[in-house]
Amino acid sequence: MNIRLSTGKEIPIEMHKVRIVQKASLVPVEKRLKAIEEGGYNTFSLKSKDIFIDMLTDSGTNAMSDNQLAAMMVSDDAYAGSESFYKLARAIEDVLGFRYVLPTHQGRAAEHLLAKVFIKKPGDIIPMNYHFTTTKAHIELFGGQVLEIYEDEALNTQSKHPFKGNLNIQKLKDAITKYGTGRIPFVRMEATTNLLGGQPFSMQNLKQVKQICSEHNIPLVLDGSLVPENAYFIKLREEGYKNKTIKEIIKEFMSFIDLFYLSARKSSCVKGAFIATNNEDLYERIKPWLPVYEGFLTYGGMSSKEIEAMAVGLREMTDINVAGSVPEQVKYFVEGVIENGIPVVTPPGGLACHIDAMMFLPHIPQSQYPAGALAAAIYIVSGVRSMERGTISMDRDKDGNEVYSDLELARLAVPRRVYTMSHIEYVVDRIQWLYRHRDLIKGLKFVEEPPVLRFFFGKLEPIDNWGTKLGEAFKKEFGVQY
Ligand code: F0G
């Protein structure tokens, strides 16, 4: 929720109280430099003890509510028939309207099952509004191909378009004509599109996608990892939804969806995931594989405590103060950065402040990974951990050629209910400082490059030892203690 101050300025106000806290520490710049060097200039390799504000992700890093913690005390650990599972199933039916539920240990496990069951032939095509790293990896491991069909505006980082996550309807029709329905096992929509900067799609777009899928008998799959945030943007930005509740908007989404999955590590603030549907046939096709890869039907690799907390988290995410908390904090964050002319993805999205590294560092060619260099530089000057979402996050093609990402973004994710306004102010300030000293940042090159999802374990080094020079410039201004 936003509150208007007497000065006229609007600020996002926290509609919760913080009663359990965790100590944070800011290690000095020398130590940060050593940590990033040892970690191969990859923020995934940093240790938590060396990080002040962790904006790597909003996945599994959110603060649970008191009611979620309370629910964990009464879980039922039965291997089969656990009462905790039936509570979750009731919450899913109530919030999303789906009767059949397949729990999995996390979102990518759901993606694995979908790819395994539905991709039948090499060369099968999965049209989608945009890929996510793990989704793409699973589809390709089963021989499928991702076909991204977004609107032109989606790749414009400096945009005012309210629904950059929309799928391009004409391109979907063209794809069906070109490949035929036999090669398209399903169409996937992602709410909100993570790698485009957490950008939502509109209800009207989803309706149109569904209509085309129905005409051709193609199942429509929704990755709903950030579904309350997408619903929040619809309430704010789409005509006719102002007076609808988040729950009503989510329910309307689901009326168009054949198969739903989400990673509960985000909006529901627990470690787990599930697939849900009302289509018995789709459910029965996936079900036999669940115990093979995840666990029995009533726990799917999750602990019963997390299942209990998920049932509560799903209901809580439909509260407008929960659904809107990250979008509003992100908006405040983005507006602070933009004020100083720093290129950042607009409109503000559903999970993070995304800095456009190609615009921030125009002197670094894509072959030298500007987004990776920016993420490392942000850490050096602030102790804030962000994530590279650019070419390092793309794997090479099968001939070993580099696949350049459409966007080079350094993503500063905002975990739910974890950081305060002064944390945000601090991050904005250090990014401003970095922008003034951006010429000191140069590119990166790989020294160790894994064959799949290389961004997780890859090791890189700075060209011309720029990290040390940046650290020196920072120390000169702020002293050794920062
Ligand atoms: N789909 C989307 C849209 C995601 O954002 C993620 C994870 C997944 C699927 C996979 O779920 O992590 O539970 O296996 N996104 C995280 C992130 C990792 O940092 O954005 P998971």
Side-chain angles (χ1 to χ4, degrees):
M1 167 169 156
N2 278 357
I3 274 206
R4 188 141 51 85
L5 301 179
S6 54
T7 55
K9 186 180 174 178
E10 273 201 11
I11 55 163
I13 197 97
E14 291 84 355
M15 294 305 284
H16 54 260
K17 300 171 212 176
V18 181
R19 294 237 195 259
I20 295 182
V21 295
Q22 189 180 10
K23 195 171 177 302
S25 63
L26 174 58
V27 299
V29 61
E30 301 245 286
K31 247 187 132 183
R32 302 198 294 264
L33 203 50
K34 194 158 168 271
I36 197 82
E37 269 162 14
E38 283 172 5
Y41 274 72
N42 181 345
T43 55
F44 275 99
S45 303
L46 293 169
K47 296 190 179 110
S48 195
K49 69 176 175 53
D50 295 324
I51 295 161
F52 177 37
I53 299 175
D54 198 351
M55 296 189 150
L56 183 76
T57 179
D58 64 332
S59 167
T61 55
N62 303 291
M64 278 187 171
S65 71
D66 50 358
N67 285 322
Q68 284 184 293
L69 286 170
M72 292 174 96
M73 301 302 288
V74 290
S75 68
D76 175 5
D77 269 329
Y79 185 97
S82 161
E83 194 45 43
S84 302
F85 171 75
Y86 294 108
K87 258 190 231 170
L88 172 65
R90 282 195 294 276
I92 291 173
E93 181 146 27
D94 186 24
V95 174
L96 304 167
F98 294 120
R99 283 195 304 281
Y100 302 109
V101 178
L102 297 146
T104 62
H105 79 279
Q106 65 182 83
R108 68 201 69 186
E111 290 170 335
H112 166 239
L113 290 172
L114 296 187
K116 176 168 182 61
V117 170
F118 296 107
I119 296 173
K120 292 291 167 216
K121 308 177 284 301
D124 273 359
I125 305 285
I126 319 290
M128 57 183 70
N129 53 349
Y130 209 67
H131 81 281
F132 184 70
T133 51
T134 53
T135 326
K136 186 163 184 259
H138 282 295
I139 288 171
E140 289 178 355
L141 284 170
F142 283 94
Q145 277 172 44
V146 164
L147 180 71
E148 291 170 323
I149 39 181
Y150 43 81
E151 302 283 359
D152 294 344
E153 193 66 8
L155 300 183
N156 176 6
T157 57
Q158 316 293 293
S159 169
K160 287 198 164 64
H161 194 293
F163 293 110
K164 291 203 293 184
N166 279 353
L167 187 136
N168 183 309
I169 300 298
Q170 188 53 47
K171 286 187 188 159
L172 178 60
K173 288 181 185 162
D174 295 346
I176 294 171
T177 310
K178 182 169 169 195
Y179 300 108
T181 49
R183 273 183 74 188
I184 303 182
F186 59 89
V187 171
R188 171 181 175 274
M189 290 291 276
E190 186 180 308
T192 59
T193 44
N194 190 330
L195 298 188
L196 287 176
Q199 300 296 318
F201 54 73
S202 69
M203 189 71 82
Q204 196 205 359
N205 185 250
L206 186 66
K207 237 183 252 180
Q208 288 172 326
V209 173
K210 174 61 184 171
Q211 198 183 341
I212 295 165
C213 287
S214 298
E215 279 164 20
H216 296 91
N217 223 359
I218 303 171
L220 178 56
V221 172
L222 178 68
D223 177 334
S225 303
L226 288 173
V227 77
E229 284 78 6
N230 203 121
Y232 184 76
F233 286 125
I234 285 182
K235 186 175 169 69
L236 250 57
R237 299 177 186 174
E238 189 164 350
E239 219 184 294
Y241 288 91
K242 203 169 100 194
N243 297 322
K244 293 237 157 91
T245 64
I246 299 296
K247 193 170 173 184
E248 285 166 343
I249 298 172
I250 290 179
K251 271 272 175 67
E252 190 177 335
F253 273 156
M254 299 313 150
S255 66
F256 305 119
I257 301 305
D258 298 298
L259 202 65
F260 175 89
Y261 73 92
L262 62 68
S263 166
R265 298 168 62 86
K266 290 180 176 265
S267 309
S268 336
C269 307
V270 280
K271 282 101 188 156
F274 62 83
I275 301 170
T277 181
N278 279 330
N279 184 320
E280 195 178 351
D281 172 50
L282 298 179
Y283 168 73
E284 289 296 344
R285 282 165 70 186
I286 305 167
K287 191 171 118 186
W289 296 104
L290 193 72
V292 179
Y293 292 103
E294 296 301 302
F296 191 70
L297 181 64
T298 53
Y299 75 92
M302 271 188 278
S303 89
S304 57
K305 292 190 184 312
E306 298 282 347
I307 293 174
E308 288 278 348
M310 191 189 285
V312 176
L314 277 175
R315 294 185 194 279
E316 288 181 346
M317 75 183 192
T318 66
D319 175 341
I320 188 159
N321 289 323
V322 176
S325 71
V326 174
E328 292 303 342
Q329 216 174 4
V330 166
K331 182 166 171 268
Y332 183 81
F333 189 173
V334 163
E335 283 170 358
V337 176
I338 284 182
E339 222 173 82
N340 297 279
I342 296 168
V344 62
V345 172
T346 54
L351 80 156
C353 170
H354 295 79
I355 302 177
D356 184 328
M358 279 195 279
M359 292 178 78
F360 195 107
L361 302 168
H363 53 283
I364 302 183
Q366 249 188 312
S367 57
Q368 293 177 8
Y369 314 122
L374 183 56
I378 291 172
Y379 173 71
I380 293 170
V381 303
S382 65
V384 175
R385 172 156 75 166
S386 60
M387 190 192 287
E388 191 271 0
R389 296 276 74 160
T391 297
I392 299 176
S393 295
M394 304 287 290
D395 287 332
R396 287 178 190 269
D397 68 15
K398 50 186 185 319
D399 303 319
N401 300 312
E402 195 76 85
V403 178
Y404 291 112
S405 178
D406 295 324
L407 299 171
E408 291 285 336
L409 306 175
R411 183 184 82 171
L412 295 127
V414 177
R416 289 159 191 79
R417 304 180 285 220
V418 176
Y419 295 116
T420 62
M421 298 281 275
S422 48
H423 286 124
I424 303 281
E425 297 284 347
Y426 168 81
V427 185
V428 170
D429 176 78
R430 291 303 191 256
I431 292 171
Q432 284 166 13
W433 186 90
L434 196 59
Y435 193 56
R436 293 197 293 275
H437 296 79
R438 61 191 179 279
D439 291 348
L440 293 174
I441 309 171
K442 305 255 176 330
L444 297 174
K445 59 172 190 264
F446 266 106
V447 285
E448 271 176 44
E449 190 181 336
V452 65
L453 297 178
R454 63 181 181 173
F455 63 92
F456 282 127
F457 302 126
K459 287 205 179 303
L460 300 102
E461 66 182 22
I463 293 165
D464 288 344
N465 201 21
W466 61 259
T468 310
K469 291 172 201 159
L470 181 69
E472 287 303 321
F474 181 84
K475 221 170 15 181
K476 220 165 128 190
E477 192 162 332
F478 292 95
V480 284
Q481 76 274 28
Y482 281 107

